[in-house]
Structure formats: C-alpha cells, structure tokens
Amino acid sequence: MRHIWGSHVVNHSLTAARSGRTRLAIAFLAMASGLLVANPLQAAQATPGSSGPSSAPSRSRDLSALAESFVQVEIRVRQDRGESIGTVVGSAASITSREGEYLPALIDEERPLVMAGWLLENDTVILRDPAVPARAVESIAVRRGSHTVPARIVGLAIDQPALFLRLEKPLEGAKPLRFAAASAGAAAPGDPSTPGAPKQNAVVAHSSDAEFVLELTTISERRLHPTTPASASGSAPRVIIDRDGLRVAPGEGPVTEVTGVLFADGAAPAPLGDPLQWPRLDEAALDAARAAVKARADGCIVRATLHLRSPRTTRRDQMYGGMGMGGPDASTEIEALGVILSTGQALILASTAPSVTARLERIDLTLADGSVVPATFAGSLRDFGALVATPSAMPESCAGGLGLSTAEVQSHRGLLRFAAYASVVGRSRVVDLDHVRLSRFIRSWRNETFAIVFSEEDRAFVFDEEGKLILLPLSIRTTPSKRDRWDGGYSESGVMPASLIARALSNLDSAIDSANVPLSADDEGRTGWLGVMLQPLDPELARANGVADRTRDGEFGGLVTFVYPDSPAAKAGIEVGSILLAVRSPRDPNPIEVTVDEADLGFEGVFPWERLDELPEEYYDRIPAPWPTLEDALSRTLTELGMGSEYEVELVINGETRRTSLVVEQSPPHFDNAPRFEAPALGLTVRDVTVEVREFLQLEPDQPGVVIARLEPGKRASVAGLRPFEIIVEVDGTPVKDAAAFGALLEGKNDVRLVVRRAAVERVVRMTVE
Amino acid sequence: MIISEAGEALTNWHVVDRASEVRCLLSDGRSFRADIVASDRDLDLALIRLRLTPDDAPPPTAELGTSGSLEEGDFVMAMGAPWGLNRSVSVGIIACTRRYLPDQSEYSLWLQTDASISPGNSGGPLVDTDGRVIGINTLGNSSGGDLGFAVPVDTIREVLDRLRGGQVGWSWTGLRLQPLRDFDRDVNFDGDSGVIVAGVDPGSPAEAAGLKARDRIVSINGTAVTARTSEDLPDIRRTLALKPAGESIPIALVRGDAETTTSLVPREKGAVQGDEVDCPRWGLTLKQINRFENAELYRLRNEGVFIFGIRYPGNAASAGLQVNDILLEVEGVAVKTLDEAKAAYTRSVEQLEQKKRVLVKIIRAGQQRQIVLDIARDFERQ
C-alpha cells in the first residue's frame, strides 16, 4: 500500500520525516568535512597511501608513521534478490569516510563503498562497521596506494561499531599500528558519569575529494544521560566520540604509536590498547548467533492471514467498471506477519482501517512448517499499525514466545545486534539475517525515542542479546487528517521500539480502538453522518463567502447545499449556506479538513429520466445514481472516528466561525447500504427507499415503494421494461412497504403487475416471475 | 402552403417560432410579408397570413384533402425546400397511417412516409396523387433513411378554426393515460374497453376529480373510449384537451371491480413553453420553468427561471454554470420571474465597474449551490 511511488522513495521520504536529515545531509556533511581541511586549527595533516613518502610536511608533528598503517577499504555491494537491499549504510557519524551511502546508488554507479581502515596486524584491518548486509557484500578489497589485496570479514566487535578484516596477503609497505602501553600518558577514557567533555588528542582520517587526509586534532566525548529510569537500570550512560580516530598521546615530535582506536557512537568509549583484545564475535560465533536469531524468527515470526468478508460492491465501483477497486479496502485476504509473543498474544503487523477490519472474519497463523494455528481477534491498536490476536494454542516452534524488550532503544547504541528481516512475499515468508548497529535515534511521536534503521526498516526485527525484540517493523497509525488520499495508505512503514508496544499491550483495554473492530455483515456498512450535502469550495466561492483565509483560498471546506431534517446537522443549527471547514477529534492532533469528492455528488445536472429507455441495458450499471451519496468523504471520516465518538465541527455560519461539539451518529440507511431484496432469477435488486432518495425524488414520507438498485441485462426485470432508479410502488394493487415486503409479494406469483414510478411519472409494468 | 385566397398559410410552429419577421416567396415570384396568426407547439402547427393588399391578385391555394382514408402503400408527394432548395418535390408512399411516436404524439398520430423529407421540408405539404394536402411535413430523420413524418390534415382541420382565432387553447386535465395493451412492455390489463389512468399530476383537475392511477376510464362525456394500444391515446387526449376549460366532463370509470363516475373540469393549459431572455455578458440564456416543457425542473421548483443555454466560450461556462441549473438568487436577491432575472442581469452589467463578480445561488440536482460568476471578461470583444 505504500508502493505508489516505489518503495525507495517512500522509505526515503519517511526517513526524511523522521530524522530531518537524509541524503541531503550527506551532501552537507561532505561539505562540512571539506571545510575541515581548510581549518587553521588543524595541527597537522598527512596524505596517506600516496606512492611517495606517505606524509605531508607538518609544522608540529609528523604523522607519516601512522600513514603507513592507514588503508582504504573498498566494499563492493550487489543486489542479491529482486527486492531492494538496504537503503543507506555507513550510517554512523563516520566522518572518516563518507557520512552515508545509498546502496542502490553504489550498485548503479559501479563504485565501492570506501571506508578508512587501520592495519592492526600484517593481515588484519579494523574499520568502522558500515553494517552492510552480509548478503549484499560482493567483495572487499583493501588498498594502499596502488596496491590492492582482497579481504574478508573475520569478526565483529561487540561493544564497538567496528569490524575486523583478514587480508589474503600482507600489503606491500604497510605496517601495523604500534600501540603504546595503556599507561603511556594518554588521557584516560573519560568517566562517563562525569559531566564535561574531555578532549582527546587523536589522528583522524577524513576524505577530501578523492583522497583521505590524516590530521592531528582533538576530539571530544559527549555523554548521553539517561532520560528515563528505565534505561538507568540496565545500562550505563552512553558516550559518543565525535569522530572516529586513533587516540594518541599529547606531546611533541613525530607520532609513531597510538594508545587506542576510537569509534564515534560507541556504546562506551573504546578501551585503550590494541582492539584485537576487544570482545568480538569471530566467524564461527557470528554464524552461531545468526542461527540462533534465525531459529527465533522462524519459530515466532509467522505468516498471518486475515480472511475478510467480500466487500460490498457499491454503485461507485460499478460505475467505474471495477477500476480503482484494488487497494487495501477491497481485499478479501491480507497477508501479514504475526509475532508470537511471550504473553501468549500474537501481534499481527497489519494496519487495517476500520472499514477493512469491519469485514474481518478469521485469522490464521501459518507456522514455518506449514501448519496453521487459528487465532481470534482481540483488538486493533489505536496508535500503532497492528492488531492483537489470541492464538488458539502456543506453537511448539515458539516455546515461550518472543519477549518485547522494555529497555530504551538508545541503550543499544553501537552494540552488535542481530536482525531478522522478515516479510511476506506472495504466500511465502522470507527471512534474511544480519547484524545491525543502532546509531541514530530521534525523538518523535509523543516525545518517544525511535531508532532509525537505514536498511529495510519495514522488514527489520531487531533482537537484543537475550533474544528479546528491540525493534519491530510497524508504524504509528496515520490519523485521518494525515491520510494520504493517493495511496489510501493507512499507515506509514517504519520500525517501532518494542518497548512502546510492550507498554501498550500491558494495558490492552486502553490501547485498542473500539471503532476498529470486526462487525457483522449487517453492521459493516454502517456509516456515520452529519446530515448535510456539500459543495466543494473553490477560490471564488471562498472569497465570496469571506473564508479564503481559513480555507487556503478554497482548497478545502464544503458549502452546505442541503440539510437533512432531524439530522445531527439540523439539530446543531447548520444551515444551507454554512461552510464546514474542519472536523476536530481528540484522536487527531490536526484538524481533519473537510473535503468534497466530486464523485460523491451524484449525477451532475438533470438526470435524463426520459432517456433511460434509449440506454442499452448493459450500461445500467455505469450511470451514476441521480442522488448524491450519503456515504461521502465527510461521512467516511466520521465513520472512522467511530460511532459515539466526540468531535467538533468547525464551521462558518453567516460569516462567523464557530465550533460545534457533536457525537458521531449512525446515519439512517442509505441507498448503498439499505436493506435490499435480490431476485437473481429476475435480475433485479431493490432497496428500501432511503432518505436521500426520498429527498431527491421529493416523495412524501408515506409514499410506498422500493427503489430499483440493480438490473441485470437480459433478465426478466430488464426485459419487462424496468429501469434503474425507478420506484416500484405497488405489486398487484398492494402498496410495497419495503424491500422485504416486495420479496414477500412476489412469492408464489407467476406474473405480477407493478406500478412503477420514474421520477414523477407512474406506469404499469407486467413482469413474469415464475 | 397557402390555404385561402385571403392569404392564410399553414406551416410548422418550429418554422416560425422565434421569428422576428416572416417573408413568403410565391412560386410566381411575388414575395409577401406575413403575420403569425397562431402557432401551436403541441401540434407543431402555425397559421400565418400574408399581408396582401386589395391590389394583389389572389394567391394560388392548396386544397385540403382527407387523411382518414389513406392506406399504407398510397403514393404521396412531399413538397418543400429541402436544404433550401425550394420548389422541390419528392415522391414516396404512405409507410404507416397511424404512427405513434412517444413524446411526439400527445395529441396526434403521424403519417409516416418514405418520401424524402429533409431540413427545409418542414411546413410543406404532403399531397396525394390528386394533389390534395393530406398532411404537413414536420419531422425527418436526419441520420438518413427514408423516414418522414407529417401531421395528418384531419387533425389540422380539427384545430384550424381555433388557430384562426389566435390559439388552439388547449385545456389541461393532468391525466396521464396508458393503453390496455403494451406489447413492448408486455402489459395487459383486464378488460377490452376503456383506457387506463397511469397517473395524475399533483394539483391537477384529474386529481381534483378523484381519479387515480389504475382507474380504467370507459367513457368520456357519454362516449365510450377505448385505448387498446398506444396508437389510440392521442385521439382521447385531443378530445379531452379540446373541451372548453371550466366545463364539467362526465367520466365513467372502473376502479377494481366497481363502476363509478366522476366529473372532470379541465383548466386552461396556458403556456407550454417559458419565455426566454438572453444575458450576453453572463454568457447564458434564461428561460422560465414551464411544467409541460420542463417537467423535471418544475418538480424541483414550480416557479422561477433556469439556464436554457450556455455560450462557449463565455463567463457562465467558465464559472461552471450548467444548462438546467435553476436560478434562485443573484447577489442575495431572489429571482422568481424572468423580469426579476432580467433586472438582476441589467444591474450586474451596470455595476460592472464596481463589481466584477456576481454571486449566484442555483438549484442543481436538488441541492442549493453557490457559483461565483466572474463577468469581468467581455467575450463579445473581438
């Protein structure tokens, strides 16, 4: 549902919405790093990897010894399946390399991701972990000057965002870093609990044009203090070093040894000394960790199928011959992912709108082995795009279920975590596994902290070291005011901290939306109403009515053209000529602007009753109803708010703006949902004469009849001369009360004589029934 | 066709409707101005009189024959000026003596001929092989085929004296009739005589007389009537409509199984067409709502004016006004009559310097809408 512009762009714009900085930021930061080169505060700089002596002259300290340990790492990426791989990598504040890269762009442009690396041993290189999905890595090469050797990943640091490469053979002329003893006068890593930001002497590599440049500088630590007690319990305050670099001791003279390697955005400041001593997962351990995550994902992340009652085919659908009937609102089956939780609940990651949920009949969970566990609906989350169901039994494959981590997401900053990227493609569940490093966080919805996952965020289930979920791919529900009418999307994709979901589930009653529930077939079509017909504003009308400034020059707003007697609108004093501006609901932070859909207005102009006989019967379904529908955009909004919900209408009456408090009331039956009687043998469907039909045809309240809602070409009713939208007033001399009565009157008859009314003119029609 | 030496001539209503001047050219080359004596939209007939002076030699006249004795296959000739080619004659046969055309046959059936009838034939005579007028050619089929329709002379003769008096003066009962048999719709009513009441117009004399849908009228004014098929309806309608207004007509009818009587007092039918007014700066023409001509609009509002025509390009078209929009208010002033509409139009044009936009309230599809009519642009400017 979000693929209208292709998932890249949508993902991308979403990232923009969340973080406020996306690919543009890359460009800005590239500029910023360019400025750094010219910064006079630089103590020294060296250009590593060049063929000659690998250092530039320095006023104060010579970096050429370090330059011998510098390598450039080139990671070539590929597309491994039809689906798109990660969007952006190099996600951390890595100024040593580019800020971030767009993986598909790397593939398109046939260039590698370039990172700065340091030789730790003759055949071992450390670099910031760009967290490129393993399946997207085609090859890795390490370059120094004109020399290049292939390399592979042999380990991932656990507490630092670093990865280790093994070179196929040593690089000519390269020398490993020399580490000084930990006590050799380097500044001790800052105590994170101490306020302030200790400066450290460091050598950093940054890319300037095509070249990397080494410079001696100071870098600082920033502390992240916990903002909630929740994180205080589990983890220490986090430290971010503002850049990657080599820690060096202060002093004079050439820099020949380093005291440590720093990675910005770490969980904690990197310990002094040789990074080879850092806790890490080597290849075998990585495999094992992946296998463990895979087992959890396979067992507990299942395919969920929502079986829905067939949607009603409305006049509108018929008119357009079924075109535009696709989309979420018309499906009869929704495939989604379900997560079996340790609470015994299943969280189904489907953001169904009330009109869709209304048709929900059954939920099936299909396990990895193909067996099916039915589940019953327990509620749709009001704020999140998911619904909660109760499986009939806990599947054995998911003993105990998945726990939801209650820790703040930022407590995982920089740490090695594993993600299962799961999705339903067709009827298969696809799971990919990878490690992730969370590095970017943002305060967003209701001041909660969200993690930004750059790669496939709509598929990412991220686990903590205990196997609890930290993040899962679901989204904040879009409120009606934000509804993107283009794709009918009811939610944005995204990745949600599990702690928020855990909190919602812990108090389920207040977290679910009572208006978003399965309904009976009879109730399913119920709609809320205000009881007005509207004409869309335009700039001229808005100006003429003095509301141009309140409607963005007539861009939204509806001019009341009719008020149904005894409707909520009539009771609220809304009159013909009033202008509705917006609906305000406590559930929506924004006003929901009133808009008028032209297609809801019915037949424009004078309905050509007298020409109905000329129209070939196969077109009967295509003519718009003469009357405007009661189920218009406004009523759809009210329906979504839910019957009985309080709302305010902002409107202008006689030039004065006012707000009226109302409660969503159910509309009386209308043409599209009125009780009906179908006679398939006759090819005839009639419906009760509803308020808008009565109003349009100016029928007296006691005027009997049923309205012809559908005629099938070639069937008896059509052949007998009945035409769409005519009123059948009598059957064999008996006035017809409603659709049910009409059905009863036909019973046992071979042949009936109908009094039929077209607009204002009646005639008698004989129809064979048998 | 000239039917009297006094210069009376018959033609179609649609030939002289809206005529500002009528000129007649005789085949001997003389030309005359003519006055419209009467014109009748319902039969599409007009009687005009040439302005002859005592000095003028009497014009040649056509002899009216009889249409009642015609049979299918009789040879006939159509005379007229198809596509402006005057003094043309085409020949054919009577294809059908009693043609019922829905919506075109309220008071009369048609003579159908395969003699070529084209635009320009209207008002010309259809004559038999003796040269006697048997009908007035009125309808053709512009999409081709030899289908022409003429008003039978017998019908014309029935109303000729009334036309000479200035108008037919139809009466109105508001009775809608349906035949006993309707093959197309497979409708068969019980009984072999009478005519079925399909419905009565609200507020009509028929309603006042207590007539109801499904009543079977068996006699009118003591004369038995039967409409077995729709071809029988025009005669009955014409009979009723030619009864003088205000005079009671005894009606015998069968309702259910019971026979009963009532009396029907027709009223004057009055205008069957509203007057029009042109509003060039607005880019539209307005017309008065008429219950006979604009039944659908009349149902929505039984008074007032509606948009009859829209000019393209024009201000009304740009503003989104549509044909059949009923005008309710102009700049807050209610408009019910054509005069009020005219006044509103004139006012808006006079105030154009100060006010270039006119707020118009209309009824469209039963809803009261507003439209801003921007009349700043002068579409007449070339």
Side-chain angles (χ1 to χ4, degrees):
Chain A
M1 69 169 97
R2 12 161 237 102
H3 290 285
I4 187 103
W5 296 299
S7 60
H8 288 167
V9 182
V10 173
N11 278 340
H12 185 72
S13 63
L14 195 67
T15 312
R18 285 266 172 72
S19 63
R21 49 202 308 216
T22 76
R23 285 167 69 196
L24 277 180
I26 299 167
F28 280 118
L29 279 162
M31 278 170 59
S33 66
L35 285 174
L36 270 174
V37 178
N39 190 334
L41 289 178
Q42 284 171 205
Q45 68 178 46
T47 304
S50 53
S51 50
S54 56
S55 71
S58 163
R59 270 201 308 266
S60 55
R61 300 188 74 181
D62 177 8
L63 301 180
S64 55
L66 296 185
E68 289 175 337
S69 305
F70 178 85
V71 293
Q72 189 168 309
V73 178
E74 298 174 355
I75 304 173
R76 292 202 171 267
V77 291
R78 66 181 170 201
Q79 206 92 11
D80 73 333
R81 269 205 293 267
E83 71 208 69
S84 74
I85 49 169
T87 317
V88 176
V89 295
S91 52
S94 160
I95 298 171
T96 51
S97 173
R98 294 190 180 223
E99 168 69 2
E101 289 274 17
Y102 184 52
L103 272 189
L106 293 179
I107 295 167
D108 284 350
E109 295 163 13
E110 299 180 47
R111 63 182 170 87
L113 174 71
V114 179
M115 309 278 296
W118 302 96
L119 211 57
L120 294 179
E121 295 174 321
N122 279 333
D123 63 350
T124 306
V125 165
I126 188 169
L127 69 149
R128 155 172 291 280
D129 180 5
V132 178
R135 66 205 157 84
V137 175
E138 179 162 279
S139 64
I140 301 175
V142 174
R143 171 188 299 276
R144 187 166 186 284
S146 55
H147 302 286
T148 304
V149 295
R152 64 189 168 85
I153 297 169
V154 291
L156 296 170
I158 294 171
D159 301 330
Q160 298 294 328
L163 72 77
F164 299 92
L165 296 179
R166 171 86 28 87
L167 307 182
E168 240 174 48
K169 59 177 189 199
L171 264 174
E172 206 177 299
K175 289 181 183 157
L177 289 173
R178 286 179 54 214
F179 287 88
S183 58
D191 176 355
S193 63
T194 312
K199 301 267 185 192
Q200 311 206 3
N201 286 311
V203 171
V204 300
H206 65 78
S207 58
S208 160
D209 299 327
E211 297 274 287
F212 274 95
V213 175
L214 294 191
E215 65 177 358
L216 181 68
T217 182
T218 56
I219 55 181
S220 61
E221 292 175 14
R222 279 185 292 139
R223 286 170 177 72
L224 288 182
H225 288 281
T227 52
T228 63
S231 65
S233 60
S235 48
R238 301 292 141 182
V239 172
I240 306 174
I241 312 290
D242 64 359
R243 305 167 74 178
D244 295 350
L246 301 177
R247 190 179 302 199
V248 296
E252 301 292 327
V255 180
T256 55
E257 56 179 23
V258 298
T259 54
V261 182
L262 286 167
F263 286 102
D265 257 352
L272 293 175
D274 188 345
L276 288 170
Q277 307 306 315
W278 295 354
R280 70 185 222 191
L281 293 187
D282 60 18
E283 284 169 286
L286 276 172
D287 287 345
R290 287 199 183 102
V293 171
K294 175 143 173 59
R296 298 194 84 79
D298 281 346
C300 302
I301 301 174
V302 301
R303 177 162 69 86
T305 309
L306 308 182
H307 298 274
L308 306 165
R309 198 182 304 125
S310 167
R312 293 177 299 146
T313 301
T314 63
R315 182 104 214 134
R316 228 169 130 171
D317 300 326
Q318 287 169 9
M319 267 167 59
Y320 299 114
M323 287 191 299
M325 280 182 69
D329 278 0
S331 44
T332 53
E333 230 178 47
I334 295 175
E335 300 286 358
L337 286 172
V339 183
I340 312 284
L341 300 175
S342 53
T343 55
Q345 293 158 313
L347 188 69
I348 293 166
L349 310 185
S351 184
T352 51
S355 60
V356 176
T357 316
R359 296 187 285 111
L360 179 62
E361 290 186 317
R362 215 174 77 232
I363 302 172
D364 283 336
L365 305 177
T366 307
L367 308 183
D369 63 4
S371 59
V372 173
V373 176
T376 50
F377 176 89
S380 327
L381 296 181
R382 189 182 50 241
D383 296 329
F384 308 100
L387 52 89
V388 180
T390 313
S392 60
M394 277 300 264
E396 278 177 31
S397 61
C398 184
L402 284 183
L404 297 176
S405 166
T406 53
E408 292 258 330
V409 279
Q410 66 269 42
S411 65
H412 300 278
R413 178 187 295 272
L415 301 179
L416 177 61
R417 294 291 177 245
F418 287 89
Y421 295 93
S423 53
V424 176
V425 179
R427 292 189 180 280
S428 330
R429 194 175 124 283
V430 179
V431 179
D432 299 306
L433 289 157
D434 253 306
H435 78 279
V436 285
R437 308 260 186 194
L438 302 180
S439 60
R440 216 45 96 66
F441 303 89
I442 183 169
R443 279 214 190 272
S444 175
W445 179 79
R446 297 193 185 161
N447 208 28
E448 300 290 352
T449 303
F450 290 75
I452 294 173
V453 172
F454 289 97
S455 184
E456 299 179 89
E457 62 174 356
D458 53 347
R459 299 178 65 212
F461 293 82
V462 179
F463 294 86
D464 69 8
E465 69 278 22
E466 295 168 13
K468 285 185 178 171
L469 275 173
I470 307 167
L471 298 171
L472 65 172
L474 65 83
S475 50
I476 301 296
R477 247 184 223 277
T478 310
T479 52
S481 62
K482 286 265 184 65
R483 186 76 26 84
D484 181 355
R485 296 183 63 91
W486 272 96
D487 57 1
Y490 194 64
S491 76
E492 295 172 347
S493 71
V495 64
M496 182 69 57
S499 56
L500 296 184
I501 303 301
R503 207 189 302 157
L505 294 182
S506 69
N507 194 356
L508 193 60
D509 284 347
S510 64
I512 59 177
D513 180 357
S514 59
N516 193 355
V517 292
L519 295 173
S520 70
D522 286 340
D523 283 345
E524 169 206 321
R526 68 184 187 179
T527 44
W529 83 325
L530 180 58
V532 293
M533 289 193 226
L534 297 175
Q535 168 190 4
L537 284 189
D538 58 32
E540 291 287 5
L541 266 185
R543 292 170 206 172
N545 285 281
V547 293
D549 56 338
R550 275 165 285 183
T551 58
R552 289 196 304 275
D553 208 14
E555 220 174 86
F556 63 95
L559 181 64
V560 175
T561 59
F562 183 77
V563 180
Y564 285 98
D566 300 326
S567 64
K571 288 174 203 154
I574 297 173
E575 305 161 353
V576 169
S578 303
I579 293 170
L580 306 192
L581 301 176
V583 169
R584 287 174 189 270
S585 159
R587 296 182 43 178
D588 202 321
N590 293 301
I592 306 160
E593 292 168 356
V594 171
T595 56
V596 182
D597 190 339
E598 298 276 352
D600 294 336
L601 294 175
F603 195 91
E604 282 285 276
V606 175
F607 193 80
W609 294 105
E610 71 283 356
R611 306 195 60 188
L612 278 181
D613 287 319
E614 301 165 21
L615 186 76
E617 53 183 358
E618 56 269 33
Y619 293 111
Y620 288 168
D621 281 348
R622 305 286 176 86
I623 23 175
W627 36 80
T629 179
L630 233 57
E631 201 172 344
D632 58 7
L634 176 60
S635 96
R636 287 192 288 268
T637 298
L638 297 180
T639 307
E640 194 183 325
L641 294 181
M643 301 303 154
S645 321
E646 291 176 2
Y647 68 103
E648 285 186 328
V649 173
E650 199 174 319
L651 73 164
V652 177
I653 299 184
N654 296 326
E656 279 179 38
T657 308
R658 70 180 205 210
R659 287 197 196 179
T660 304
S661 295
L662 289 156
V663 167
V664 178
E665 288 183 35
Q666 189 172 336
S667 82
H670 53 84
F671 182 65
D672 284 320
N673 74 357
R676 65 182 190 280
F677 170 76
E678 280 174 66
L682 302 175
L684 172 68
T685 303
V686 298
R687 288 184 182 270
D688 287 3
V689 178
T690 46
V691 281
E692 83 279 33
V693 178
R694 217 168 265 283
E695 160 57 31
F696 183 86
L697 294 175
Q698 305 204 308
L699 302 177
E700 298 297 324
D702 54 352
Q703 164 81 38
V706 288
V707 60
I708 297 176
R710 189 140 194 232
L711 285 168
E712 267 183 68
K715 292 283 182 71
R716 288 206 172 105
S718 176
V719 169
L722 295 181
R723 294 294 175 259
F725 312 120
E726 291 182 332
I727 307 283
I728 299 177
V729 182
E730 286 182 13
V731 176
D732 284 341
T734 310
V736 180
K737 198 170 113 280
D738 52 29
F742 177 75
L745 285 170
L746 291 191
E747 227 155 90
K749 300 273 175 66
N750 292 329
D751 187 90
V752 286
R753 207 155 284 163
L754 310 173
V755 174
V756 177
R757 184 181 169 119
R758 178 182 301 178
V761 181
E762 288 185 354
R763 67 178 194 286
V764 174
V765 171
R766 189 177 115 179
M767 182 170 69
T768 314
V769 179
E770 306 179 73
Chain B
M1 65 177 126
I2 301 171
I3 57 168
S4 74
E5 294 194 342
E8 286 175 324
L10 283 170
T11 185
N12 286 131
W13 160 84
H14 77 257
V15 172
V16 298
D17 180 43
R18 301 177 205 213
S20 52
E21 181 182 300
V22 181
R23 282 182 288 125
C24 303
L25 176 67
L26 272 51
S27 57
D28 59 16
R30 291 186 288 166
S31 82
F32 296 96
R33 296 254 159 134
D35 297 310
I36 300 167
V37 178
S39 72
D40 185 71
R41 187 175 187 262
D42 290 314
L43 285 178
D44 202 349
L45 275 184
L47 182 68
I48 61 174
R49 194 195 307 271
L50 276 54
R51 289 183 192 164
L52 300 177
T53 64
D55 302 339
D56 288 320
T61 60
E63 187 187 341
L64 299 188
T66 167
S67 52
S69 57
L70 288 169
E71 290 179 2
E72 282 80 1
D74 287 353
F75 278 93
V76 292
M77 279 172 282
M79 301 177 176
W83 303 107
L85 306 171
N86 58 13
R87 306 188 312 279
S88 298
V89 176
S90 59
V91 69
I93 58 167
I94 292 290
C96 176
T97 52
R98 284 161 54 81
R99 174 61 63 207
Y100 184 89
L101 300 175
D103 300 328
Q104 303 276 1
S105 291
E106 189 176 2
Y107 297 134
S108 177
L109 292 172
W110 298 84
L111 292 173
Q112 182 184 332
T113 179
D114 66 352
S116 171
I117 305 273
S118 303
N121 274 107
S122 286
L126 188 68
V127 303
D128 60 17
T129 44
D130 294 328
R132 284 190 292 260
V133 175
I134 53 165
I136 291 190
N137 300 319
T138 301
L139 290 175
N141 180 1
S142 56
S143 60
D146 300 324
L147 285 173
F149 301 93
V151 183
V153 73
D154 290 0
T155 305
I156 298 170
R157 196 177 279 114
E158 256 182 87
V159 299
L160 189 53
D161 279 344
R162 289 169 177 251
L163 287 172
R164 287 183 168 125
Q167 59 169 343
V168 176
W170 300 105
S171 296
W172 175 65
T173 59
L175 194 56
R176 284 195 304 273
L177 301 174
Q178 191 173 0
L180 297 170
R181 315 267 178 267
D182 185 340
F183 178 80
D184 286 345
R185 299 221 164 91
D186 190 23
V187 173
N188 283 279
F189 285 91
D190 307 326
D192 286 329
S193 64
V195 57
I196 303 298
V197 176
V200 295
D201 288 341
S204 67
E207 191 183 61
L211 287 162
K212 287 196 162 62
R214 264 77 62 208
D215 285 351
R216 180 156 57 96
I217 295 177
V218 291
S219 86
I220 295 175
N221 211 12
T223 310
V225 288
T226 292
R228 201 155 279 126
T229 62
S230 50
E231 281 83 1
D232 298 327
L233 293 175
D235 277 352
I236 300 172
R237 295 196 196 113
R238 194 169 68 247
T239 305
L240 278 172
L242 289 175
K243 299 281 182 213
E247 221 164 85
S248 171
I249 310 168
I251 302 281
L253 59 105
V254 177
R255 180 175 297 166
D257 296 327
E259 201 157 325
T260 172
T261 57
T262 181
S263 38
L264 184 59
V265 184
R267 290 208 293 265
E268 267 181 39
K269 187 171 181 181
V272 292
Q273 194 188 8
D275 289 331
E276 281 174 48
V277 63
D278 187 15
C279 307
R281 187 61 181 238
W282 287 1
L284 50 77
T285 55
L286 296 171
K287 196 168 186 176
Q288 201 133 28
I289 297 172
N290 181 281
R291 82 182 300 160
F292 302 106
E293 193 185 26
N294 323 107
E296 193 54 28
L297 297 177
Y298 186 85
R299 214 168 46 73
L300 292 170
R301 189 169 151 94
N302 55 18
E303 58 185 354
V305 296
F306 70 101
I307 298 180
F308 182 62
I310 298 263
R311 275 194 189 84
Y312 296 90
N315 290 321
S318 309
L321 283 166
Q322 295 178 4
V323 166
N324 286 327
D325 285 345
I326 300 174
L327 204 59
L328 271 187
E329 275 181 24
V330 176
E331 283 293 317
V333 180
V335 170
K336 282 184 187 161
T337 66
L338 214 50
D339 284 343
E340 286 169 350
K342 216 183 287 180
Y345 170 72
T346 312
R347 214 160 35 237
S348 75
V349 175
E350 282 167 2
Q351 294 174 354
L352 194 55
E353 283 300 310
Q354 300 91 53
K355 200 163 172 41
K356 300 203 185 316
R357 287 176 178 79
V358 183
L359 184 62
V360 178
K361 273 190 194 156
I362 56 162
I363 296 182
R364 180 186 299 168
Q367 295 177 64
Q368 188 181 317
R369 305 222 196 166
Q370 293 183 12
I371 302 258
V372 177
L373 178 61
D374 181 346
I375 54 171
R377 180 157 173 197
D378 182 2
F379 280 90
E380 316 247 291
R381 180 164 180 247
Q382 306 207 335

